[in-house]
Amino acid sequence: MAPCRGSRGNRAVNTTELLSRRSRGVEDAGTLMRHNMKVLRSILLQDNRSFIKVWSKTSKSSIMYENGKIYFENYQNCYSCVHSEPQVLYKLPKRSKVEKFEDALLCQSPLDKTLASPSDHKASLLTLTANNWLYRLSAVTGEELQRVYLSSNQKFRYLGWEVSQETFYVKSVQNKETPLERRAGITHNTVMHLAIFHVFPLQIVGIVEINKKVFGNGVTDVVLSQGVLAVSYSNKSVKLYSFENIVQRYMTEKLKLGEQSSLLGDNKVGEAPFGIPVNIQITDCPPVLFEVSCSNNGVQIGGYPWHYIYTPPHKTHKGTHHICSLKDNTMASNGIQNMSCSSLESDGIFFHPDDSGRIIHIGPTTINVLKILGELNSGLPSKVVEDFSMMTLRNNSPTSQVTVTSSGRTVKRRFHQLDDDPDQETFRMVEYEDELDLLAVVVTNGEEGEGRAHIRLHDNQNGQLQRTIDLLEPWDETYRHELFFDKDTIVHIEQKNSSFCCHVYKLEANKKIK
């Protein structure tokens, strides 16, 4: 059942009535989409529906999944998951080693903008090649829509979204001195380069150089996110800078792809062999917006009011997560979260991807969904409270450390059993399906001698268990696993030694037994 829009808001209509409304065009696009997702969620949670494994495929190279598409052979072969089982969308010709794809991003065009070129409205795959070409390919056919040459001076390797999938960046490899150069006293001031692009349509913002003279020694990594340039250092500190401020202060020339630039001797931007010049020249250190020392250079910002999560870089704080106000660095009440678990894998904590400002803290036996209570202009510290919690169904009675053999000899265990021991039911990962507002929790259990996994679907608002889905293939925790829950599709990608395998499950009606 799905709620009907009205003054009371609590009357329910069945799926048939919603489908009838859709056919008559009664609803607007946004309301129609929400109703469609409520219909799908209702169907998905029915007892007469099951997720059935429909397809498996192995590969010698990494397998990627993104928005209903599975990519094999370094993004050269693409399969669509729209149908009852995956089907080939396109296969690109084999590429040479120097032309192979290093990284890729799937790019969906906005519906509320009119763009100059019809091809700009098509979903596209942004791919970066080993020889520094950036391609924009049709996500449906693999057809080349646009190409940009980046540079012959830097080696670009990584792609990443900057904010709301409107801007992305291309990052070069880090420039490190060789042992021979270090012995000779030769140092490189340049650490790396970032090339920043807008999409819809594809346009260059600029290339910025990260160097030691400006940002200091010990720079280990740089990322661009939410309008902030985040610089990590070897002394376990992270500094944040406003990228908008950097562009305004240090851009020497605005660039446009395919047009001449004085920085290139009037050659065209984005064409070989000149590529794109460094047009954002940072001459002095910009103002630091925020700085924190943290373990593994890991700091996360989110919540409302704004807070950040980090682990101090001291042994005494290992395994703890501190939640503080971004405004004044005040520790939130109940702001130190610690699972106190004994496990090989550390517990994970992150801001909820549903933009609710909540926090998900996942350990081997417990998942806590937390919320921050606080007023923006209040002088009182904010407070972290539990919204809801999920637990494994294992037998939590402590295992005796003493065993008596059949001969009567007493044997004492040398080691305690770990909380994430493969023989016990253990939480492994959490996926959020935003359109269905469900949390997909992967749980493993090896009690029968072979690792098995199932997926528990929980309501995102209250944590109530909605249904459980068994995965047919064994789950070996010694290997890497990825799981994607995308409406009526579940994709499980596993790595075994040097090979990879992709398993696809689709929602189907249970067959009636005659």
Side-chain angles (χ1 to χ4, degrees):
M1 304 292 283
C4 173
R5 185 175 60 177
S7 57
R8 292 189 177 183
N10 58 359
R11 186 172 69 87
V13 296
N14 61 29
T15 300
T16 305
E17 184 174 340
L18 288 176
L19 294 175
S20 176
R21 284 177 163 189
R22 182 174 69 178
S23 66
R24 299 197 306 270
V26 173
E27 310 289 357
D28 60 64
T31 303
L32 181 61
M33 176 59 72
R34 287 192 297 272
H35 281 171
N36 285 347
M37 290 302 104
K38 288 175 181 177
V39 170
L40 178 57
R41 173 175 164 138
S42 176
I43 293 172
L44 184 147
L45 298 178
Q46 289 175 358
D47 292 336
N48 64 343
R49 301 280 174 166
S50 300
F51 277 90
I52 308 298
K53 185 195 276 195
V54 297
W55 192 78
S56 291
K57 184 175 173 60
T58 59
S59 174
K60 291 295 183 182
S61 58
S62 297
I63 304 171
M64 309 296 176
Y65 176 84
E66 182 74 34
N67 198 33
K69 297 179 178 64
I70 307 173
Y71 297 94
F72 292 85
E73 307 302 327
N74 282 55
Y75 299 97
Q76 292 189 122
N77 300 343
C78 177
Y79 289 75
S80 170
C81 288
V82 173
H83 307 283
S84 57
E85 65 178 67
Q87 296 183 6
V88 176
L89 265 184
Y90 61 81
K91 289 189 176 183
L92 300 178
K94 286 189 176 181
R95 307 177 70 87
S96 65
K97 189 173 182 179
V98 296
E99 295 176 314
K100 76 169 186 174
F101 294 144
E102 296 280 11
D103 205 355
L105 293 174
L106 186 62
C107 183
Q108 303 281 7
S109 64
L111 300 176
D112 59 340
K113 293 182 180 180
T114 301
L115 304 176
S117 170
S119 71
D120 292 333
H121 286 281
K122 296 180 180 179
S124 55
L125 187 71
L126 301 168
T127 59
L128 174 65
T129 66
N131 56 351
N132 277 355
W133 281 93
L134 179 69
Y135 286 90
R136 189 167 69 89
L137 308 177
S138 167
V140 178
T141 64
E143 172 194 1
E144 181 185 315
L145 303 176
Q146 194 173 357
R147 68 162 73 181
V148 176
Y149 186 64
L150 297 175
S151 174
S152 57
N153 299 319
Q154 298 93 32
K155 170 58 181 170
F156 287 93
R157 180 69 58 83
Y158 313 100
L159 292 172
W161 284 116
E162 192 274 329
V163 57
S164 304
Q165 299 195 3
E166 293 283 341
T167 305
F168 70 97
Y169 63 92
V170 193
K171 184 164 63 174
S172 73
V173 297
Q174 191 169 345
N175 192 11
K176 296 180 179 179
E177 293 94 4
T178 65
L180 184 62
E181 288 174 329
R182 283 197 294 270
R183 287 196 294 270
I186 300 173
T187 60
H188 299 296
N189 281 321
T190 301
V191 179
M192 64 180 67
H193 289 80
L194 292 182
I196 300 91
F197 289 84
H198 286 315
V199 289
F200 320 128
L202 182 65
Q203 189 53 262
I204 180 67
V205 175
I207 291 185
V208 59
E209 178 185 280
I210 307 299
N211 64 65
K212 296 176 184 178
K213 287 184 178 179
V214 171
F215 294 99
N217 293 320
V219 175
T220 57
D221 197 14
V222 178
V223 297
L224 198 60
S225 178
Q226 304 296 318
V228 169
L229 187 74
V231 182
S232 300
Y233 293 84
S234 57
N235 65 357
K236 297 184 178 180
S237 68
V238 177
K239 295 180 181 180
L240 306 184
Y241 305 87
S242 167
F243 185 68
E244 181 181 1
N245 174 263
I246 289 173
V247 171
Q248 290 174 349
R249 287 181 60 184
Y250 302 109
M251 180 179 283
T252 57
E253 180 183 329
K254 286 189 175 181
L255 304 175
K256 193 168 183 179
L257 295 176
E259 295 190 358
Q260 292 179 327
S261 167
S262 61
L263 298 174
L264 294 175
D266 291 333
N267 288 292
K268 291 183 179 180
V269 176
E271 294 187 0
F274 301 101
I276 302 171
V278 176
N279 66 323
I280 302 175
Q281 302 274 1
I282 306 178
T283 54
D284 57 342
C285 188
V288 178
L289 298 178
F290 174 77
E291 181 178 1
V292 65
S293 294
C294 51
S295 177
N296 300 322
N297 293 322
V299 59
Q300 302 177 65
I301 298 175
Y304 183 84
W306 290 101
H307 282 67
Y308 63 95
I309 305 172
Y310 78 108
T311 298
H314 309 295
K315 289 183 179 179
T316 55
H317 294 291
K318 185 177 181 180
T320 67
H321 306 281
H322 294 221
I323 304 170
C324 301
S325 168
L326 187 64
K327 181 181 178 181
D328 54 13
N329 298 322
T330 302
M331 172 80 71
S333 176
N334 194 34
I336 299 180
Q337 296 292 314
N338 186 358
M339 285 283 186
S340 299
C341 50
S342 175
S343 57
L344 291 175
E345 296 290 334
S346 59
D347 56 314
I349 191 168
F350 51 91
F351 285 101
H352 200 308
D354 69 354
D355 293 329
S356 64
R358 295 181 296 174
I359 296 168
I360 297 179
H361 189 186
I362 174 172
T365 64
T366 307
I367 297 175
N368 293 325
V369 177
L370 312 169
K371 59 183 178 182
I372 301 171
L373 302 179
E375 297 295 331
L376 188 61
N377 297 315
S378 172
L380 298 174
S382 53
K383 186 176 182 180
V384 177
V385 299
E386 181 182 295
D387 193 14
F388 60 84
S389 183
M390 296 174 278
M391 307 287 292
T392 56
L393 303 178
R394 67 168 66 173
N395 180 8
N396 290 317
S397 59
T399 304
S400 174
Q401 291 302 108
V402 177
T403 302
V404 179
T405 66
S406 58
S407 62
R409 187 166 62 94
T410 300
V411 179
K412 188 173 181 180
R413 293 175 186 263
R414 297 182 64 186
F415 302 102
H416 288 275
Q417 189 175 40
L418 296 174
D419 291 328
D420 59 351
D421 191 291
D423 291 339
Q424 302 182 89
E425 187 172 82
T426 305
F427 289 134
R428 296 299 176 184
M429 62 181 74
V430 177
E431 273 286 306
Y432 173 58
E433 216 304 331
D434 58 338
E435 293 177 298
L436 302 179
D437 203 31
L438 290 171
L439 292 171
V441 181
V442 178
V443 187
T444 61
N445 196 335
E447 286 182 350
E448 298 178 358
E450 185 176 46
R452 290 289 174 180
H454 64 270
I455 301 168
R456 286 168 43 173
L457 299 184
H458 291 260
D459 186 282
N460 181 50
Q461 300 304 318
N462 55 32
Q464 290 184 359
L465 178 63
Q466 304 296 306
R467 73 172 304 172
T468 300
I469 303 160
D470 291 326
L471 297 183
L472 298 183
E473 62 276 3
W475 186 293
D476 188 336
E477 193 51 39
T478 59
Y479 296 114
R480 177 172 166 265
H481 297 264
E482 289 183 288
L483 188 125
F484 304 90
F485 176 39
D486 193 353
K487 296 189 284 293
D488 66 336
T489 305
I490 292 173
V491 178
H492 173 209
I493 299 174
E494 58 179 338
Q495 179 180 359
K496 290 185 177 181
N497 295 322
S498 59
S499 65
F500 300 81
C501 189
C502 177
H503 309 278
V504 177
Y505 293 75
K506 298 291 287 188
L507 183 67
E508 294 184 6
N510 294 339
K511 295 180 180 179
K512 293 182 180 180
I513 301 175
K514 295 183 179 180

